[in-house]
Coordinates of all heavy atoms in Angstrom, one line a residue:
M1171 N 78.8 73.1 88.7 CA 79.3 73.2 87.3 C 80.5 74.0 87.2 O 80.9 74.4 86.1 CB 78.2 73.8 86.4 CG 76.9 72.9 86.4 SD 77.0 71.4 85.5 CE 77.4 71.9 83.9
T1172 N 81.1 74.4 88.3 CA 82.4 75.2 88.3 C 83.5 74.3 87.8 O 83.7 73.2 88.2 CB 82.7 75.7 89.7 OG1 81.6 76.5 90.2 CG2 84.0 76.5 89.7
P1173 N 84.3 74.8 86.8 CA 85.5 74.0 86.4 C 86.4 73.7 87.5 O 86.6 74.5 88.4 CB 86.1 75.0 85.3 CG 85.0 75.9 84.9 CD 84.1 76.1 86.1
E1174 N 87.1 72.6 87.4 CA 87.9 72.1 88.5 C 89.1 73.1 88.8 O 89.5 73.3 89.9 CB 88.5 70.8 88.1 CG 89.3 70.1 89.2 CD 89.8 68.7 88.9 OE1 89.0 68.0 88.1 OE2 90.8 68.4 89.4
F1175 N 89.7 73.7 87.7 CA 90.8 74.6 87.9 C 90.4 75.8 88.7 O 91.2 76.4 89.5 CB 91.5 75.0 86.6 CG 90.7 75.9 85.7 CD1 91.0 77.3 85.8 CD2 89.8 75.5 84.8 CE1 90.3 78.2 85.1 CE2 89.1 76.4 84.0 CZ 89.3 77.7 84.2
L1176 N 89.1 76.3 88.5 CA 88.7 77.5 89.3 C 88.5 77.1 90.8 O 88.8 77.9 91.7 CB 87.4 78.0 88.7 CG 87.5 79.0 87.6 CD1 86.2 79.5 87.1 CD2 88.3 80.2 88.0
T1177 N 88.0 75.9 91.0 CA 87.8 75.5 92.4 C 89.1 75.4 93.1 O 89.3 75.8 94.2 CB 87.1 74.1 92.4 OG1 85.9 74.2 91.7 CG2 86.8 73.6 93.8
E1178 N 90.1 74.8 92.4 CA 91.5 74.7 93.0 C 92.1 76.1 93.2 O 92.7 76.4 94.2 CB 92.4 73.9 92.1 CG 92.0 72.4 92.0 CD 92.8 71.7 91.0 OE1 93.6 72.3 90.3 OE2 92.5 70.5 90.8
L1179 N 91.9 77.0 92.3 CA 92.4 78.4 92.4 C 91.7 79.1 93.6 O 92.4 79.8 94.3 CB 92.1 79.1 91.1 CG 92.6 80.6 91.0 CD1 94.1 80.6 91.1 CD2 92.1 81.2 89.8
R1180 N 90.5 78.9 93.8 CA 89.8 79.6 94.9 C 90.2 79.1 96.2 O 90.1 79.8 97.2 CB 88.3 79.5 94.7 CG 87.7 80.3 93.5 CD 86.3 80.0 93.2 NE 85.8 80.7 92.0 CZ 84.8 80.4 91.3 NH1 84.1 79.3 91.7 NH2 84.5 81.1 90.3
E1181 N 90.7 77.9 96.3 CA 91.1 77.3 97.6 C 92.5 77.7 98.0 O 92.8 77.7 99.2 CB 91.0 75.8 97.5 CG 89.6 75.2 97.4 CD 89.5 73.8 97.1 OE1 90.5 73.1 97.0 OE2 88.4 73.2 97.1
D1182 N 93.3 78.0 97.1 CA 94.7 78.4 97.4 C 94.8 79.9 97.4 O 94.7 80.6 96.4 CB 95.6 77.8 96.3 CG 97.1 78.0 96.6 OD1 97.4 78.6 97.7 OD2 97.9 77.7 95.8
D1183 N 95.1 80.5 98.6 CA 95.1 81.9 98.8 C 96.1 82.6 97.9 O 95.9 83.7 97.3 CB 95.3 82.3 100.2 CG 94.0 82.0 101.1 OD1 92.9 82.0 100.5 OD2 94.2 81.9 102.3
S1184 N 97.3 82.1 97.9 CA 98.4 82.8 97.2 C 98.1 82.8 95.7 O 98.4 83.8 95.0 CB 99.8 82.2 97.5 OG 99.8 80.8 97.1
R1185 N 97.7 81.7 95.2 CA 97.3 81.6 93.7 C 96.1 82.5 93.4 O 96.1 83.2 92.3 CB 97.0 80.2 93.3 CG 98.3 79.4 93.2 CD 98.0 77.9 92.8 NE 97.2 77.9 91.6 CZ 96.4 76.9 91.3 NH1 96.3 75.9 92.1 NH2 95.7 76.9 90.1
R1186 N 95.2 82.6 94.3 CA 94.0 83.4 94.1 C 94.4 84.9 94.0 O 93.9 85.7 93.1 CB 93.0 83.2 95.2 CG 91.7 84.0 95.0 CD 90.7 83.6 96.1 NE 91.2 83.6 97.4 CZ 91.4 84.7 98.2 NH1 91.1 85.9 97.7 NH2 91.8 84.6 99.4
V1187 N 95.2 85.3 94.9 CA 95.7 86.7 95.0 C 96.5 87.1 93.7 O 96.3 88.1 93.1 CB 96.5 87.0 96.3 CG1 97.1 88.4 96.2 CG2 95.5 86.9 97.5
A1188 N 97.4 86.1 93.3 CA 98.2 86.4 92.1 C 97.3 86.4 90.9 O 97.5 87.3 90.0 CB 99.2 85.3 92.0
A1189 N 96.3 85.6 90.8 CA 95.4 85.6 89.6 C 94.6 86.9 89.6 O 94.4 87.5 88.5 CB 94.5 84.4 89.7
T1190 N 94.2 87.4 90.8 CA 93.4 88.6 90.8 C 94.2 89.8 90.4 O 93.8 90.6 89.6 CB 92.8 88.8 92.3 OG1 92.0 87.7 92.6 CG2 92.0 90.1 92.3
N1191 N 95.5 89.8 90.9 CA 96.4 91.0 90.6 C 96.7 90.9 89.1 O 96.7 92.0 88.4 CB 97.6 90.9 91.4 CG 97.4 91.2 92.8 OD1 96.4 91.9 93.2 ND2 98.3 90.8 93.7
G1192 N 96.9 89.8 88.5 CA 97.2 89.7 87.1 C 96.0 90.1 86.3 O 96.1 90.8 85.2
A1193 N 94.8 89.7 86.7 CA 93.6 90.1 86.0 C 93.4 91.6 86.0 O 93.0 92.2 85.0 CB 92.4 89.4 86.6
V1194 N 93.6 92.2 87.2 CA 93.5 93.6 87.3 C 94.5 94.4 86.3 O 94.1 95.3 85.6 CB 93.7 94.1 88.7 CG1 93.8 95.6 88.8 CG2 92.5 93.6 89.6
L1195 N 95.7 93.9 86.4 CA 96.7 94.6 85.5 C 96.3 94.4 84.0 O 96.4 95.3 83.2 CB 98.1 94.0 85.8 CG 98.7 94.4 87.1 CD1 100.0 93.7 87.3 CD2 98.9 95.9 87.1
L1196 N 95.9 93.2 83.6 CA 95.6 92.9 82.2 C 94.3 93.7 81.8 O 94.3 94.4 80.8 CB 95.3 91.4 82.0 CG 94.8 91.0 80.7 CD1 95.9 91.2 79.6 CD2 94.4 89.6 80.7
G1197 N 93.3 93.7 82.7 CA 92.1 94.4 82.3 C 92.2 95.9 82.3 O 91.8 96.6 81.3
V1198 N 92.9 96.5 83.2 CA 93.1 98.0 83.2 C 94.0 98.3 82.1 O 93.8 99.4 81.4 CB 93.7 98.5 84.6 CG1 94.0 99.9 84.5 CG2 92.6 98.2 85.7
G1199 N 95.0 97.5 81.7 CA 95.8 97.8 80.6 C 95.1 97.7 79.3 O 95.2 98.6 78.4
L1200 N 94.2 96.8 79.2 CA 93.3 96.7 78.0 C 92.3 97.8 77.9 O 92.0 98.3 76.8 CB 92.6 95.3 77.9 CG 93.5 94.1 77.6 CD1 92.6 92.8 77.7 CD2 94.1 94.2 76.2
S1201 N 91.9 98.3 79.0 CA 90.9 99.4 79.0 C 91.5 100.7 78.5 O 90.8 101.6 78.2 CB 90.3 99.6 80.4 OG 91.3 100.1 81.3
L1202 N 92.8 100.8 78.5 CA 93.5 102.0 77.9 C 93.2 102.1 76.4 O 93.3 103.1 75.8 CB 95.0 102.0 78.2 CG 95.3 102.1 79.7 CD1 96.8 102.0 79.9 CD2 94.9 103.5 80.2
F1203 N 92.9 100.9 75.8 CA 92.7 100.9 74.4 C 91.3 100.8 74.0 O 90.9 101.2 72.9 CB 93.5 99.7 73.8 CG 95.0 99.7 74.0 CD1 95.5 98.9 75.0 CD2 95.8 100.6 73.3 CE1 96.9 98.9 75.2 CE2 97.1 100.7 73.6 CZ 97.7 99.8 74.5
H1204 N 90.4 100.2 74.8 CA 89.0 100.0 74.5 C 88.2 99.9 75.8 O 88.7 99.2 76.7 CB 88.8 98.8 73.6 CG 87.5 98.8 72.9 ND1 86.4 98.2 73.4 CD2 87.1 99.3 71.7 CE1 85.4 98.3 72.6 NE2 85.8 99.0 71.6
W1205 N 87.0 100.4 75.8 CA 86.2 100.4 77.0 C 85.8 98.9 77.4 O 85.5 98.7 78.6 CB 85.0 101.2 76.8 CG 84.1 100.8 75.7 CD1 84.1 101.3 74.4 CD2 83.1 99.7 75.7 NE1 83.2 100.6 73.7 CE2 82.5 99.7 74.4 CE3 82.6 98.9 76.7 CZ2 81.5 98.8 74.1 CZ3 81.6 98.0 76.4 CH2 81.0 98.0 75.1
S1206 N 85.8 98.0 76.5 CA 85.4 96.6 76.8 C 86.5 96.0 77.7 O 86.2 95.0 78.4 CB 85.2 95.8 75.6 OG 86.4 95.7 74.8
G1207 N 87.6 96.5 77.8 CA 88.6 96.1 78.8 C 88.2 96.2 80.2 O 88.5 95.4 81.1
L1208 N 87.3 97.2 80.5 CA 86.7 97.3 81.8 C 85.8 96.2 82.2 O 85.8 95.7 83.3 CB 86.0 98.7 81.9 CG 86.9 99.9 81.9 CD1 86.0 101.1 81.8 CD2 87.8 100.0 83.1
L1209 N 85.0 95.7 81.2 CA 84.1 94.6 81.4 C 85.0 93.3 81.7 O 84.7 92.6 82.6 CB 83.3 94.3 80.2 CG 82.1 95.2 80.0 CD1 81.5 95.0 78.6 CD2 81.1 95.0 81.1
L1210 N 86.0 93.2 80.9 CA 86.9 92.0 81.0 C 87.7 92.1 82.3 O 87.8 91.0 83.0 CB 87.9 92.0 79.9 CG 88.9 90.8 79.8 CD1 88.1 89.5 79.6 CD2 89.9 91.0 78.8
A1211 N 88.1 93.3 82.7 CA 88.8 93.4 84.0 C 87.9 93.0 85.2 O 88.4 92.3 86.1 CB 89.3 94.8 84.2
G1212 N 86.7 93.4 85.2 CA 85.8 93.0 86.2 C 85.5 91.5 86.3 O 85.5 90.9 87.3
A1213 N 85.3 91.0 85.1 CA 85.0 89.5 85.0 C 86.2 88.7 85.5 O 86.1 87.8 86.3 CB 84.7 89.1 83.6
L1214 N 87.4 89.1 85.0 CA 88.6 88.3 85.4 C 89.0 88.5 86.9 O 89.5 87.6 87.5 CB 89.8 88.7 84.5 CG 89.7 88.3 83.0 CD1 90.9 88.9 82.3 CD2 89.6 86.8 82.9
A1215 N 88.7 89.7 87.4 CA 89.0 89.9 88.8 C 88.0 89.1 89.7 O 88.3 88.7 90.8 CB 89.0 91.4 89.2
A1216 N 86.8 88.9 89.2 CA 85.7 88.3 90.0 C 85.9 86.8 90.0 O 85.5 86.1 91.0 CB 84.4 88.7 89.5
L1217 N 86.3 86.2 88.9 CA 86.3 84.7 88.8 C 87.1 84.0 89.9 O 86.7 83.0 90.4 CB 86.8 84.3 87.4 CG 85.8 84.5 86.3 CD1 86.4 84.1 85.0 CD2 84.6 83.6 86.6
P1218 N 88.3 84.5 90.3 CA 89.0 83.7 91.4 C 88.4 83.9 92.8 O 88.8 83.2 93.7 CB 90.4 84.3 91.4 CG 90.5 85.2 90.2 CD 89.1 85.5 89.8
Q1219 N 87.5 84.8 93.0 CA 87.0 85.1 94.3 C 86.1 83.9 94.8 O 85.4 83.2 94.0 CB 86.2 86.4 94.4 CG 86.9 87.6 93.8 CD 88.3 87.7 94.5 OE1 88.5 87.6 95.7 NE2 89.3 88.0 93.6
R1220 N 86.1 83.7 96.1 CA 85.4 82.5 96.7 C 83.8 82.7 96.7 O 83.1 81.7 96.5 CB 85.8 82.3 98.1 CG 87.2 81.8 98.2 CD 87.6 81.5 99.6 NE 89.0 81.0 99.7 CZ 89.8 81.4 100.5 NH1 89.5 82.2 101.5 NH2 91.1 80.9 100.5
T1221 N 83.3 83.9 96.8 CA 81.9 84.1 96.9 C 81.5 85.1 95.9 O 82.3 85.9 95.4 CB 81.4 84.5 98.3 OG1 82.0 85.8 98.6 CG2 81.8 83.5 99.3
I1222 N 80.2 85.2 95.6 CA 79.7 86.2 94.6 C 79.8 87.6 95.1 O 80.3 88.5 94.4 CB 78.2 85.8 94.2 CG1 78.2 84.5 93.5 CG2 77.6 86.9 93.4 CD1 76.8 83.9 93.2
P1223 N 79.5 87.9 96.4 CA 79.7 89.2 96.9 C 81.1 89.7 96.9 O 81.4 90.9 96.5 CB 79.2 89.2 98.3 CG 78.2 88.1 98.4 CD 78.7 87.1 97.4
R1224 N 82.1 88.8 97.1 CA 83.5 89.2 97.0 C 83.9 89.4 95.6 O 84.7 90.3 95.3 CB 84.4 88.1 97.6 CG 84.4 88.0 99.1 CD 85.4 87.0 99.6 NE 85.3 87.0 101.0 CZ 86.2 86.3 101.7 NH1 87.1 85.6 101.2 NH2 86.1 86.3 103.1
G1225 N 83.3 88.7 94.7 CA 83.5 88.9 93.3 C 83.0 90.3 92.8 O 83.7 91.0 92.1
L1226 N 81.8 90.6 93.3 CA 81.3 91.9 92.9 C 82.1 93.0 93.5 O 82.4 94.1 92.9 CB 79.8 92.1 93.4 CG 78.8 91.2 92.6 CD1 77.5 91.3 93.3 CD2 78.8 91.7 91.2
A1227 N 82.6 92.8 94.8 CA 83.5 93.8 95.4 C 84.8 93.9 94.6 O 85.3 95.1 94.5 CB 83.7 93.4 96.8
A1228 N 85.3 92.8 94.1 CA 86.5 92.9 93.3 C 86.3 93.7 92.1 O 87.2 94.5 91.6 CB 87.0 91.5 93.0
G1229 N 85.2 93.4 91.4 CA 84.8 94.2 90.2 C 84.7 95.7 90.5 O 85.2 96.5 89.7
F1230 N 84.1 96.0 91.6 CA 83.9 97.4 92.0 C 85.3 98.0 92.3 O 85.6 99.2 91.9 CB 83.0 97.6 93.1 CG 82.7 99.0 93.5 CD1 81.9 99.8 92.8 CD2 83.3 99.6 94.6 CE1 81.7 101.1 93.1 CE2 83.1 100.9 95.0 CZ 82.3 101.7 94.2
G1231 N 86.2 97.2 92.9 CA 87.5 97.7 93.2 C 88.3 98.0 92.0 O 89.1 99.0 91.9
V1232 N 88.1 97.2 90.9 CA 88.8 97.4 89.7 C 88.3 98.7 89.1 O 89.0 99.5 88.5 CB 88.6 96.2 88.7 CG1 89.0 96.6 87.3 CG2 89.3 95.0 89.2
G1233 N 87.0 98.9 89.2 CA 86.4 100.2 88.7 C 87.0 101.4 89.4 O 87.3 102.4 88.8
V1234 N 87.1 101.3 90.7 CA 87.7 102.4 91.5 C 89.1 102.7 91.0 O 89.5 103.8 90.8 CB 87.7 102.1 93.0 CG1 88.5 103.1 93.8 CG2 86.2 102.1 93.5
L1235 N 89.9 101.6 90.8 CA 91.3 101.8 90.3 C 91.3 102.4 88.9 O 92.1 103.3 88.6 CB 92.0 100.4 90.3 CG 93.4 100.4 89.7 CD1 94.3 101.2 90.6 CD2 93.9 99.0 89.5
A1236 N 90.4 102.0 88.0 CA 90.3 102.5 86.7 C 90.0 104.0 86.7 O 90.6 104.8 86.0 CB 89.3 101.8 85.9
V1237 N 89.1 104.4 87.6 CA 88.7 105.8 87.7 C 89.9 106.6 88.3 O 90.2 107.7 87.8 CB 87.4 106.0 88.6 CG1 87.2 107.4 89.0 CG2 86.2 105.5 87.8
V1238 N 90.6 106.1 89.2 CA 91.8 106.8 89.8 C 92.8 107.0 88.7 O 93.4 108.0 88.6 CB 92.3 106.0 91.0 CG1 93.7 106.5 91.4 CG2 91.3 106.1 92.2
V1239 N 93.1 105.9 87.9 CA 94.1 106.0 86.8 C 93.6 107.1 85.8 O 94.4 107.9 85.3 CB 94.3 104.6 86.2 CG1 95.1 104.8 84.9 CG2 95.0 103.7 87.2
F1240 N 92.3 107.0 85.5 CA 91.7 108.0 84.5 C 91.9 109.4 85.0 O 92.4 110.3 84.2 CB 90.3 107.6 84.3 CG 89.5 108.5 83.4 CD1 89.7 108.5 82.1 CD2 88.5 109.3 83.9 CE1 89.0 109.3 81.2 CE2 87.8 110.2 83.1 CZ 88.0 110.2 81.7
L1241 N 91.5 109.7 86.2 CA 91.7 111.0 86.8 C 93.1 111.4 86.9 O 93.5 112.6 86.8 CB 90.9 111.1 88.1 CG 89.4 111.0 88.0 CD1 88.8 111.1 89.4 CD2 88.8 112.1 87.1
G1242 N 94.0 110.4 87.3 CA 95.4 110.7 87.4 C 96.0 111.2 86.2 O 96.9 112.0 86.2
Q1243 N 95.6 110.6 85.1 CA 96.2 111.0 83.8 C 95.8 112.5 83.5 O 96.7 113.2 83.0 CB 95.6 110.2 82.6 CG 96.1 108.8 82.6 CD 95.5 107.9 81.6 OE1 94.3 108.2 81.1 NE2 96.1 106.9 81.2
F1244 N 94.6 112.9 83.8 CA 94.3 114.3 83.6 C 95.0 115.2 84.6 O 95.4 116.3 84.3 CB 92.8 114.5 83.7 CG 92.0 113.9 82.5 CD1 91.1 112.9 82.7 CD2 92.2 114.4 81.2 CE1 90.4 112.4 81.7 CE2 91.6 113.8 80.2 CZ 90.6 112.8 80.4
W1245 N 95.2 114.7 85.8 CA 95.8 115.5 86.8 C 97.3 115.8 86.4 O 97.8 116.9 86.5 CB 95.8 114.8 88.2 CG 96.5 115.6 89.3 CD1 96.1 116.7 89.9 CD2 97.7 115.2 89.9 NE1 97.0 117.1 90.8 CE2 98.0 116.2 90.8 CE3 98.6 114.2 89.7 CZ2 99.2 116.2 91.6 CZ3 99.7 114.1 90.5 CH2 100.0 115.1 91.4
L1246 N 98.0 114.7 85.9 CA 99.3 114.9 85.5 C 99.4 115.8 84.3 O 100.4 116.5 84.1 CB 99.9 113.5 85.1 CG 100.2 112.6 86.3 CD1 100.7 111.2 85.8 CD2 101.3 113.2 87.2
A1247 N 98.4 115.8 83.4 CA 98.4 116.7 82.3 C 98.0 118.1 82.7 O 98.2 119.0 81.8 CB 97.5 116.2 81.2
G1248 N 97.5 118.3 83.9 CA 97.1 119.6 84.3 C 95.7 120.1 83.8 O 95.4 121.2 83.8
T1249 N 94.9 119.1 83.4 CA 93.6 119.4 82.8 C 92.5 118.8 83.6 O 91.3 118.8 83.1 CB 93.5 118.9 81.4 OG1 93.7 117.5 81.4 CG2 94.5 119.6 80.5
L1250 N 92.7 118.4 84.9 CA 91.7 117.8 85.6 C 90.5 118.7 85.9 O 89.3 118.3 85.8 CB 92.2 117.2 87.0 CG 91.2 116.5 87.9 CD1 90.6 115.3 87.2 CD2 91.9 116.1 89.2
G1251 N 90.8 119.9 86.2 CA 89.7 120.9 86.5 C 88.8 121.1 85.3 O 87.6 121.2 85.4
L1252 N 89.5 121.2 84.1 CA 88.7 121.4 82.9 C 87.8 120.2 82.6 O 86.7 120.4 82.1 CB 89.7 121.7 81.7 CG 90.5 123.0 81.8 CD1 91.5 123.0 80.7 CD2 89.5 124.2 81.7
V1253 N 88.4 119.0 82.8 CA 87.6 117.8 82.5 C 86.4 117.7 83.4 O 85.3 117.4 83.0 CB 88.5 116.6 82.6 CG1 87.7 115.3 82.5 CG2 89.5 116.6 81.5
L1254 N 86.6 117.9 84.7 CA 85.5 117.8 85.7 C 84.5 118.9 85.4 O 83.3 118.8 85.8 CB 86.0 117.8 87.1 CG 86.8 116.6 87.5 CD1 87.3 116.7 88.9 CD2 86.0 115.3 87.3
G1255 N 85.0 120.1 84.9 CA 84.1 121.2 84.6 C 83.2 120.9 83.4 O 82.2 121.7 83.2
M1256 N 83.4 119.9 82.7 CA 82.6 119.6 81.5 C 81.2 119.2 81.9 O 80.2 119.2 81.1 CB 83.2 118.5 80.6 CG 84.4 118.9 79.8 SD 85.0 117.7 78.7 CE 84.4 116.2 79.2
G1257 N 81.0 118.7 83.1 CA 79.7 118.3 83.6 C 79.3 116.9 83.3 O 80.1 115.9 83.6
Q1258 N 78.2 116.7 82.6 CA 77.6 115.4 82.4 C 78.5 114.4 81.6 O 78.6 113.2 82.0 CB 76.3 115.5 81.7 CG 75.2 116.1 82.6 CD 73.9 116.2 81.9 OE1 73.8 116.1 80.6 NE2 72.8 116.4 82.6
P1259 N 79.3 114.8 80.6 CA 80.2 113.9 79.9 C 81.2 113.3 80.9 O 81.6 112.1 80.8 CB 80.8 114.7 78.8 CG 79.8 115.7 78.5 CD 79.2 116.1 79.8
A1260 N 81.7 114.1 81.8 CA 82.8 113.7 82.7 C 82.1 112.7 83.7 O 82.7 111.7 84.0 CB 83.4 114.9 83.4
W1261 N 80.9 113.1 84.2 CA 80.3 112.2 85.2 C 79.9 110.9 84.5 O 79.9 109.8 85.2 CB 79.1 112.9 85.8 CG 79.5 114.1 86.6 CD1 79.1 115.4 86.3 CD2 80.3 114.1 87.7 NE1 79.7 116.2 87.2 CE2 80.5 115.5 88.1 CE3 81.0 113.2 88.5 CZ2 81.2 115.9 89.2 CZ3 81.8 113.6 89.5 CH2 81.9 114.9 89.9
L1262 N 79.5 110.9 83.3 CA 79.2 109.7 82.6 C 80.4 108.8 82.4 O 80.3 107.6 82.7 CB 78.6 110.0 81.2 CG 78.3 108.8 80.3 CD1 77.2 107.9 80.9 CD2 78.0 109.2 78.9
A1263 N 81.6 109.4 82.1 CA 82.8 108.6 82.0 C 83.2 108.0 83.4 O 83.6 106.8 83.4 CB 83.9 109.5 81.5
L1264 N 83.0 108.7 84.4 CA 83.3 108.2 85.8 C 82.3 107.1 86.2 O 82.7 106.1 86.8 CB 83.3 109.4 86.8 CG 84.4 110.4 86.6 CD1 84.2 111.5 87.6 CD2 85.8 109.8 86.6
G1265 N 81.1 107.3 85.9 CA 80.1 106.3 86.2 C 80.3 105.0 85.4 O 80.2 103.9 86.0
L1266 N 80.7 105.1 84.1 CA 81.0 103.9 83.3 C 82.2 103.2 83.9 O 82.3 102.0 83.8 CB 81.1 104.3 81.9 CG 79.8 104.6 81.1 CD1 80.1 105.1 79.7 CD2 78.9 103.4 81.1
G1267 N 83.2 104.0 84.3 CA 84.4 103.4 84.9 C 84.1 102.6 86.1 O 84.8 101.6 86.3
L1268 N 83.1 103.0 86.9 CA 82.8 102.2 88.1 C 81.8 101.1 87.7 O 81.8 100.0 88.3 CB 82.1 103.1 89.1 CG 83.1 104.1 89.8 CD1 82.3 105.0 90.7 CD2 84.1 103.4 90.6
G1269 N 80.9 101.4 86.8 CA 79.8 100.4 86.5 C 80.2 99.3 85.6 O 79.7 98.1 85.8
L1270 N 81.0 99.5 84.6 CA 81.3 98.4 83.7 C 82.1 97.3 84.3 O 81.7 96.1 84.1 CB 82.1 98.9 82.5 CG 81.3 99.7 81.5 CD1 82.1 100.3 80.4 CD2 80.2 98.9 80.9
P1271 N 83.1 97.5 85.2 CA 83.8 96.4 85.8 C 82.8 95.6 86.8 O 82.9 94.4 86.9 CB 85.0 97.0 86.6 CG 85.2 98.3 85.9 CD 83.9 98.7 85.4
T1272 N 82.0 96.4 87.5 CA 81.0 95.8 88.4 C 80.1 94.9 87.6 O 79.7 93.8 88.1 CB 80.3 96.8 89.2 OG1 81.3 97.7 89.8 CG2 79.4 96.2 90.3
F1273 N 79.6 95.4 86.5 CA 78.7 94.6 85.6 C 79.4 93.3 85.1 O 78.9 92.2 85.1 CB 78.2 95.4 84.5 CG 77.2 94.7 83.6 CD1 75.9 94.4 84.1 CD2 77.6 94.3 82.3 CE1 75.0 93.8 83.3 CE2 76.7 93.7 81.5 CZ 75.4 93.4 82.0
G1274 N 80.7 93.5 84.7 CA 81.5 92.4 84.3 C 81.7 91.3 85.4 O 81.8 90.1 85.1
A1275 N 81.7 91.8 86.6 CA 81.9 90.9 87.7 C 80.7 90.0 88.0 O 80.8 89.0 88.7 CB 82.2 91.7 89.0
L1276 N 79.6 90.3 87.4 CA 78.4 89.4 87.5 C 78.6 88.0 86.9 O 77.9 87.1 87.2 CB 77.2 90.1 86.9 CG 76.7 91.3 87.6 CD1 75.5 92.0 86.8 CD2 76.2 91.0 89.0
V1277 N 79.6 87.9 86.1 CA 80.0 86.6 85.6 C 80.3 85.6 86.7 O 80.1 84.4 86.5 CB 81.1 86.7 84.5 CG1 82.4 86.9 85.2 CG2 81.1 85.5 83.6
R1278 N 80.7 86.1 87.8 CA 81.0 85.2 88.9 C 79.8 84.5 89.4 O 79.9 83.4 89.9 CB 81.6 86.1 90.1 CG 81.9 85.3 91.4 CD 82.8 84.2 91.2 NE 83.0 83.4 92.4 CZ 82.3 82.4 92.8 NH1 81.3 82.0 92.0 NH2 82.6 81.7 93.9
G1279 N 78.6 85.0 89.2 CA 77.4 84.3 89.6 C 77.1 83.2 88.7 O 76.3 82.3 89.1
I1280 N 77.6 83.2 87.5 CA 77.4 82.1 86.5 C 78.4 81.0 86.7 O 78.0 79.8 86.6 CB 77.4 82.7 85.1 CG1 76.4 83.7 84.9 CG2 77.3 81.5 84.1 CD1 76.5 84.5 83.6
V1281 N 79.6 81.3 87.0 CA 80.7 80.3 87.0 C 81.1 80.0 88.5 O 81.4 80.9 89.2 CB 81.9 80.7 86.2 CG1 83.0 79.7 86.3 CG2 81.6 81.0 84.8

């Protein structure tokens, strides 16, 4: 039941890589405005992947990138130590940054 355009996209390596990179940029950009962008980023990054495990890995990779960007913003502002010193709220934000894209990548199992 996979749409034909996704099947063609998954077979062509260059188009698959371009679609994945575009999805990551779009999703991480949207996540700067709302947390649901992380779900979308994971879903969009997983769809072009050939297998479900690769889709989940792509979603997790998007999460790692989002967490690195998140922490990088605080590092550039000079407040990384203070943020990490907050304890549970900081760990929750980092966990959600990794978990939401991975959860969004589960859409690859449906399509």
Side-chain angles (χ1 to χ4, degrees):
M1171 298 290 297
T1172 301
E1174 185 176 329
F1175 74 92
L1176 275 178
T1177 304
E1178 293 172 1
L1179 179 66
R1180 290 174 184 157
E1181 291 173 356
D1182 186 6
D1183 286 339
S1184 61
R1185 287 180 52 208
R1186 183 177 48 82
V1187 169
T1190 302
N1191 290 338
V1194 169
L1195 289 175
L1196 175 68
V1198 172
L1200 288 175
S1201 70
L1202 294 174
F1203 300 105
H1204 196 269
W1205 60 266
S1206 62
L1208 291 172
L1209 285 169
L1210 182 66
L1214 290 177
L1217 283 176
Q1219 305 310 314
R1220 290 187 181 135
T1221 63
I1222 295 171
R1224 284 186 182 188
L1226 289 174
F1230 184 75
V1232 170
V1234 169
L1235 177 66
V1237 167
V1238 167
V1239 168
F1240 178 70
L1241 293 176
Q1243 289 175 336
F1244 289 119
W1245 180 72
L1246 288 173
T1249 59
L1250 180 61
L1252 294 172
V1253 170
L1254 293 178
M1256 287 186 340
Q1258 289 180 345
W1261 298 115
L1262 176 65
L1264 296 177
L1266 287 173
L1268 290 173
L1270 286 175
T1272 307
F1273 183 71
L1276 289 174
V1277 76
R1278 175 59 183 90
I1280 298 170
V1281 180

